[in-house]
């Protein structure tokens, strides 16, 4: 009952019963994911692995994997690692029309709904509904966010698709839980220097929750709202090529105070890569119950390889190995090409 376990942890976080949260790994690198599975095996925590809509979709995404392919991929890694696949929670991140935003909204949403259907059918049970992007032909000032009601209507439609898919399976497995909201840093980190990041405005976060709840209820999703477990916010974290914006709990005080009355909903924070331990501790204490991480784990893998190459260089210098890998040089040349 992996979804129930997640909800139990998040409820404990929000109600201050325990200082606990969940981290979510968003990576498609087989060795990174294998390491995550082996770490979970040793430590015994809930392992949450997510795929994004541009990474994995019905057309293959940039990994070449459909949702079913990704599930088979994770199953294989779990089996190799001697870890029960049933103890891994799979999530779909930013599921919405983003990959097809240059198309008219009707076509983009048609493709988004098929993607959501395939994610749920494949066994993903943590579903981030994100319809926040403008599609071709949408009205509004594109220097500002898309109208909240439009976003909520589209999110409700995708939620209905997810629920119907689960029903069509004969309620196989647990019902999905949902994440809403989308105020996040750009994928992969910032591209220019920023030393401060403004947290989500409290009134914006509350409006997102209230508008989405109202529209969900209008579409007969009252009971489903109980499975909306988190709101994506910008708590004030970010990273770039040579800069990390560290979480400042004081700056985010008003945001978390405004969300305190929502007893069953925590915050989900994206781009928490490279935050120091103290910042991660403060994020969880401030009810950011889900912390997303991706590049940081791949960076750690690279650092491990570089450390091994350093050993290789030392052994080569005293004649203990006949040939070096020249890994750093190979990576540098490959990236330059």
């Amino acid at each position: 009952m992996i979804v129930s376990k997640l909800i139990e942890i998040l409820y404990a976080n929000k109600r201050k019963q325990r200082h606990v949260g969940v981290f979510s790994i968003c990576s498609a690198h087989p060795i990174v994911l294998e390491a995550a599975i082996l770490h979970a095996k040793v430590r015994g925590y809930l392992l949450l692995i997510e795929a994004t809509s541009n990474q994995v979709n019905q057309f293959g995404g940039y990994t070449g994997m459909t949702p079913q392919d990704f599930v088979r991929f994770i199953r294989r890694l779990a089996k190799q690692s001697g870890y029960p696949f049933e103890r891994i929670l799979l999530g779909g991140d930013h599921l919405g029309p983003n990959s097809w935003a240059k198309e008219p909204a009707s076509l983009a949403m048609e493709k988004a709904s098929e993607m959501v259907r395939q994610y749920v059918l494949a066994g993903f049970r943590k579903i981030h509904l994100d319809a926040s992007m403008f599609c071709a032909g949408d009205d509004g000032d594109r220097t500002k966010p898309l109208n909240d009601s439009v976003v909520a209507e589209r999110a409700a439609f995708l939620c209905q698709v997810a629920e119907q898919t689960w029903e069509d399976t004969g309620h196989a497995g647990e019902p999905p839980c949902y994440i809403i909201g989308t105020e996040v840093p750009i994928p992969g980190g910032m591209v220019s220097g920023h030393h401060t990041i403004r947290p989500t405005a409290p009134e914006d976060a509350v409006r997102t929750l209230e508008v989405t709840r109202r529209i969900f209820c209008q579409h007969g999703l009252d009971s489903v709202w109980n499975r909306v477990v988190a709101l994506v916010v910008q708590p004030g974290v970010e990273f770039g090529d040579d800069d990390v914006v560290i979480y400042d709990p004081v700056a985010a005080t008003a945001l978390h105070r405004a969300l305190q009355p929502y007893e069953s909903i925590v915050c989900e924070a994206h781009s928490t890569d490279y935050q120091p331990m103290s910042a991660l501790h403060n994020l969880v204490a401030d009810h950011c119950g889900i912390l997303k991480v991706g590049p940081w784990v791949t960076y750690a893998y690279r650092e491990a390889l570089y450390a091994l190459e350093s050993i290789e260089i030392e052994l080569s210098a005293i004649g203990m190995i006949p040939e070096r890998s020249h890994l750093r040089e190979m990576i540098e040349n490959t990236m330059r090409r």
Side-chain angles (χ1 to χ4, degrees):
M1 303 295 283
I2 195 74
V3 176
S4 299
K5 179 63 176 176
L6 173 68
I7 293 174
E8 175 188 326
I9 291 171
L10 299 183
Y11 277 13
N13 172 286
K14 190 61 183 276
R15 295 168 185 176
K16 295 186 177 181
Q17 294 170 338
R18 285 186 293 154
H19 187 100
V20 63
V22 175
F23 68 89
S24 169
I25 292 184
C26 190
S27 175
H29 197 297
I31 295 179
V32 165
L33 291 173
E34 182 183 13
I37 292 169
L38 290 171
H39 195 265
K41 181 180 178 180
V42 171
R43 298 293 293 275
Y45 54 72
L46 183 155
L47 179 58
L48 172 56
I49 296 174
E50 301 208 41
T52 63
S53 58
N54 60 342
Q55 184 184 53
V56 173
N57 59 46
Q58 67 267 42
F59 302 110
Y62 69 72
T63 64
M65 286 188 281
T66 65
Q68 286 281 7
D69 292 333
F70 189 81
V71 171
R72 283 191 286 265
F73 170 54
I74 299 299
R75 276 187 181 275
R76 185 169 64 251
L77 291 175
K79 184 176 181 180
Q80 291 170 359
S81 303
Y83 188 79
F85 173 76
E86 294 72 24
R87 292 176 63 183
I88 300 174
L89 175 59
L90 295 176
D93 199 27
H94 295 292
L95 300 190
N98 185 52
S99 296
W100 309 285
K102 294 182 179 179
E103 301 180 25
S106 58
L107 292 177
M109 285 298 294
E110 183 178 329
K111 292 177 179 178
S113 63
E114 174 60 19
M115 176 177 62
V116 168
R117 189 187 74 83
Q118 289 197 21
Y119 264 82
V120 174
L121 203 58
F124 290 78
R125 285 298 180 266
K126 174 182 177 288
I127 304 297
H128 176 204
L129 303 169
D130 181 8
S132 62
M133 58 293 302
F134 280 88
C135 296
D138 280 339
D139 295 328
D141 182 352
R142 292 175 183 252
T143 65
K144 298 178 181 179
L146 184 62
N147 181 274
D148 285 314
S149 294
V150 174
V151 174
E153 285 282 352
R154 292 175 181 175
F157 173 73
L158 294 175
C159 185
Q160 288 176 315
V161 170
E163 287 294 298
Q164 186 61 54
T165 303
W166 179 61
E167 289 183 17
D168 290 345
T169 66
H171 292 176
E174 293 178 272
C177 65
Y178 298 99
I179 316 298
I180 61 170
T182 188
E183 188 164 345
V184 300
I186 60 173
M190 59 189 177
V191 293
S192 60
H194 291 78
H195 297 289
T196 59
I197 296 291
R198 182 176 299 174
T200 300
E203 60 272 18
D204 292 343
V206 170
R207 184 172 61 251
T208 294
L209 280 171
E210 291 299 333
V211 170
T212 307
R213 178 166 59 180
R214 172 172 55 80
I215 289 178
F216 268 46
C217 291
Q218 288 175 357
H219 287 273
L221 296 169
D222 313 53
S223 60
V224 178
W225 184 258
N226 295 326
R227 286 185 267 123
V228 175
V229 297
L231 171 71
V232 176
V233 298
Q234 169 54 278
V237 300
E238 183 52 294
F239 66 91
D241 291 342
D242 54 10
D243 195 14
V244 177
V245 179
I246 297 172
Y247 178 62
D248 178 2
V250 175
T253 298
L255 169 63
H256 296 304
R257 185 182 295 125
L259 295 176
Q260 190 61 40
Y262 298 90
E263 294 185 354
S264 62
I265 296 178
V266 300
C267 295
E268 177 170 295
H270 292 211
S271 293
T272 59
D273 305 73
Y274 313 110
Q275 295 288 313
M277 191 71 75
S278 58
L280 297 173
H281 178 93
N282 287 332
L283 281 162
V284 173
D286 286 341
H287 307 305
C288 290
I290 304 172
L291 306 180
K292 296 291 296 297
V293 61
W296 196 4
V297 285
T298 310
Y299 172 81
Y301 173 49
R302 190 200 72 173
E303 290 295 283
L305 292 179
Y306 279 12
L308 289 171
E309 191 194 16
S310 295
I311 297 172
E312 180 188 69
I313 292 170
E314 295 292 328
L315 295 177
S316 176
I318 58 176
M320 290 187 65
I321 58 173
E323 188 176 350
R324 284 180 48 204
S325 64
H326 299 282
L327 177 67
R328 290 175 177 83
E329 181 182 342
M330 184 186 303
I331 290 177
E332 182 74 14
N333 290 337
T334 300
M335 291 178 71
R336 287 183 178 278
R337 284 199 303 272

